[in-house]
Structure formats: structure tokens, C-alpha cells
Amino acid sequence: MNPMTILGIETSCDETAVAVVKNGTHVLANVLSSSLPLHAKTGGVIPEIASREQIKSIVPAIETCLQKAGVVRYGEKTPEIDVVAVTFGPGLIGSLLVGVEASKTLSFVWKKPLVPVNHLIGHFYSAWVENRRPPKFPVIALVVSGGHTEILLAHDHGQYNHLGGTLDDAAGEAFDKTARLLGLGYPGGPAIETASKTGDLKRYNLPRPLMNDPNLDFSFSGLKTAVVRLVEDLGKNVLEKQVIADLSASIQEAINDILVAKTRKAADKFNVGNIVLGGGVAANTRLREKMTETFGSRVYYSNPELSTDNAAMIASAAYFNFKPQPWKSVKADPSVLF
Ligand code: KG4
Ligand code: ZN
């Protein structure tokens, strides 16, 4: 692959993320502004609020990122950027449009190729970013975010088979919804992880739906319902601190058990030993521990801050799958999967 400096833009949910990445792996600058604090009260992202914030922050984020990356030459109109990459889906349409329209404009004005990137494939590439030990193909990839739980077999760059996914809630959604039931903040994953630290993961025996089924699909809604019942049975408006900690640890363990079991199943079925973890839930320390216990050094993931939404992963995905499109043909598409 030719050396390339890529500007990545990612605005699929609450974040306005811009990064400059060299050769798919080396981050020159990584800027992220998020409207998450504005959504904390409602316990979930309000699309209208998210896109309005993105409209305000996209240009400053791009300017800051280019400056930080050191790619702007005094007196030159065009920075030292070879390619512009952008998330085109899946995501919130109003949010996606902000990034897609900004990147189209830059591609047109700078006369640089534009590469549209699937958000979930972006998460997959986080394992290549700033990783001294990049993954080796073939790999089984588990992409676990707030809206998706997908398992893929990747034979090489750009060659992916979708093996399974969730039939109802996503893994991140299971964290977010159960955290809400416990009165913890949004996003729920980090809140449950923190509360779990002082909890007993064996105190509540929660269901692990589909865990022992032979297929590679997931289901988390039964786990959420079990937590609803448990909280009702406890019969208190305000749960005791230790109950919250024990429930958090039990929920985290149940979700992670399912994720590890299905990844194991895929690895055995396709006789693949290398595993890539991506998506916000991949930031979970206990999930990383359990995956490492199961697969040893053949499990690959990024720093936690690159597991959650960011633009460096988008630039990396564009580098390894470089297929430019005319700027006019790139459309935001919230429904696209792979
Ligand atoms: O990939 P991401 O940042 O955004 C989407 O594409 O959805 O993932 C966000 C999800 C949320 O559901 C959040 O609760 C979860 O990732 N998450 C975590 C952790 N950090 C974020 N889940 C478990 N443990 C974490 N440490
Ligand atoms: Zn994401």
C-alpha cells in the first residue's frame, strides 16, 4: 500500500470526531467533541440535539485537528492530506449528514479522493491503530457497540463474512438499559463497569440467552427483562449501594459470558485463532480479561479510548480498503450494515 496521510471524519452518533492518521496506523492528531453530557438527563442520545451540536463543532474540530497534526503549511491553501475518509453509515441520519457533507466539501475543494467507510468496519480497524502488534488474518471479529452486536469472519482487508448478530438489543444497549434500571448514569457500560468493581459477580444468577445455541446470533432482551423483575422484587425505589454493585457485576458477567462463548463458537467453527474486538463495549476491562483468558495473545484490541467512537479508526479503515468514490456519489445511509 502507498504511504498516505488520511483525514478521517466520524459523526454517526453523539460525537464530532476528526483525526489525521498516517499509513493506517500512526495517529498524528485525534480530536473528539461529544454532546453526551447533554443526553445524560434523558438516558439516551436525542438525535436532534446531537446533530445541532455537530453542526456547531464540525468546522472547529477539523481546524483544530489539522493544526495539531502539523499538516497545515503557512501560506498554503491545501494541507498535506492525501485522502478524506468519512463514516457514511450506519448511524443517525442528521448526524451522518454533517460529516458526509463536510468531507464532500473538503474533497471537492482540496481535489483529494473521498473514501466512504462503514462505521462497524471502522470499529474493526481500531485494532490496527497505534498497535505495535497488528492483527493477522484470518480473524474472527466481534464488533459490539451501542446499536450493534456483530460477529464477522475476515479473510483479509475488505473480505468479510457476516456470521451472526443480535436478534434484539445490542450488547451496549443491554448495558445502557440495565444501568438505567439501577439508577446509574448514561452511557451505562462505563457506569456498570465502575459499579462492578466493588460487586460480587456471583450474587445474582442472570440468564444468558442463546449462549448454548449452536448458531452465532445473540439476544439480550431476556437479560434486561430478568433485571426488570429482580429490581421489582427488591421492591425499593432506591437500591442499596451493595445491591447495585452486585447487580452490576452480575450483569457485566452475563453479557461478557455470552460474548466470549459466541466468539469461541465462531473461532472453533471456522478454525480461526485470531480474534479482533471492536466497538464501545470492547473498552470493558472484564471483557478484555475474559477474552485474553480464552484466546491468549491472539486477541487484538485498541486502547479503550479508540474502542469507543473516534475518527482514527475511520481513517485506518480507509487506508486498508482504499476505494475512492466521486464526492457526488457518496450518500449518508443510516441503514447500511456491511
Ligand atoms: O461504539 P460506541 O462508542 O458507539 C456506538 O457506535 O454505539 O459504543 C457505545 C456503547 C454504549 O452502549 C456504551 O454503554 C458502551 O459502548 N460502552 C461500554 C464501555 N464503554 C462504552 N460498555 C461496557 N463497558 C465499557 N467500559
Ligand atoms: Zn460506534
Side-chain angles (χ1 to χ4, degrees):
M1 267 167 273
N2 294 332
M4 270 186 241
T5 302
I6 302 189
L7 175 78
I9 297 185
E10 149 67 48
T11 62
S12 65
C13 191
D14 56 275
E15 69 293 332
T16 305
V18 186
V20 177
V21 177
K22 208 167 172 181
N23 301 336
T25 55
H26 178 46
V27 179
L28 299 183
N30 190 18
V31 168
L32 185 125
S33 88
S34 165
S35 58
L36 218 50
L38 301 177
H39 308 288
K41 261 192 251 163
T42 42
V45 174
I46 307 284
E48 182 71 12
I49 296 179
S51 50
R52 282 175 187 267
E53 289 303 307
Q54 283 157 327
I55 289 167
K56 284 190 243 165
S57 49
I58 187 74
V59 172
I62 293 168
E63 281 173 347
T64 307
C65 187
L66 292 172
Q67 290 291 346
K68 277 193 174 172
V71 291
V72 187
R73 280 276 162 84
Y74 184 74
E76 295 272 330
K77 276 193 186 150
T78 308
E80 292 162 313
I81 293 290
D82 301 306
V83 172
V84 180
V86 66
T87 303
F88 74 105
L92 305 172
I93 186 64
S95 295
L96 287 166
L97 276 171
V98 177
V100 168
E101 292 309 309
S103 62
K104 279 166 134 178
T105 309
L106 293 177
S107 155
F108 176 73
V109 172
W110 293 344
K111 299 185 174 52
K112 297 293 174 189
L114 180 58
V115 179
V117 175
N118 178 293
H119 180 74
L120 302 169
I121 297 298
H123 274 306
F124 172 65
Y125 277 95
S126 61
W128 272 260
V129 182
E130 293 296 341
N131 199 342
R132 278 198 219 130
R133 209 176 51 93
K136 290 196 182 81
F137 289 103
V139 302
I140 295 290
L142 178 74
V143 179
V144 268
S145 69
H148 290 270
T149 303
E150 312 292 349
I151 197 155
L152 310 177
L153 168 60
H155 305 275
D156 203 341
H157 296 297
Q159 292 178 28
Y160 321 105
N161 289 123
H162 186 235
L163 305 179
T166 186
L167 304 176
D168 40 55
D169 291 349
E173 203 176 349
F175 274 109
D176 295 335
K177 287 181 173 170
T178 52
R180 195 171 183 179
L181 292 166
L182 305 190
L184 298 173
Y186 179 84
I192 287 205
E193 175 162 5
T194 305
S196 296
K197 285 188 181 140
T198 50
D200 173 5
L201 56 86
K202 295 210 170 94
R203 178 156 173 200
Y204 298 102
N205 186 17
L206 295 168
R208 282 135 171 88
L210 297 189
M211 190 165 88
N212 299 316
D213 264 41
N215 60 42
L216 294 171
D217 286 327
F218 300 80
S219 167
F220 293 101
S221 66
L223 171 62
K224 177 190 61 193
T225 310
V227 177
V228 171
R229 299 256 156 77
L230 247 173
V231 172
E232 274 169 12
D233 289 349
L234 289 165
K236 290 185 186 155
N237 287 337
V238 183
L239 298 173
E240 283 164 32
K241 211 170 165 211
Q242 194 55 49
V243 172
I244 293 177
D246 294 344
L247 255 172
S248 294
S250 306
I251 292 166
Q252 178 174 265
E253 200 64 8
I255 295 173
N256 288 342
D257 276 348
I258 299 167
L259 297 177
V260 173
K262 291 286 174 169
T263 308
R264 165 93 274 166
K265 214 162 272 182
D268 290 347
K269 187 169 175 186
F270 294 94
N271 198 19
V272 170
N274 300 319
I275 310 295
V276 166
L277 290 184
V281 178
N284 189 271
T285 312
R286 181 76 184 135
L287 177 61
R288 288 164 177 241
E289 267 171 25
K290 286 171 76 82
M291 285 287 187
T292 307
E293 276 163 21
T294 311
F295 298 104
S297 61
R298 296 177 77 183
V299 54
Y300 301 88
Y301 44 73
S302 63
N303 295 330
E305 57 277 14
L306 291 170
S307 293
T308 47
D309 288 346
N310 67 88
M313 66 186 197
I314 302 304
S316 176
Y319 176 78
F320 290 110
N321 300 271
F322 182 67
K323 278 194 212 99
Q325 282 191 22
W327 61 269
K328 282 186 222 162
S329 69
V330 175
K331 294 180 176 63
D333 186 349
S335 63
V336 67
L337 256 190
F338 294 102

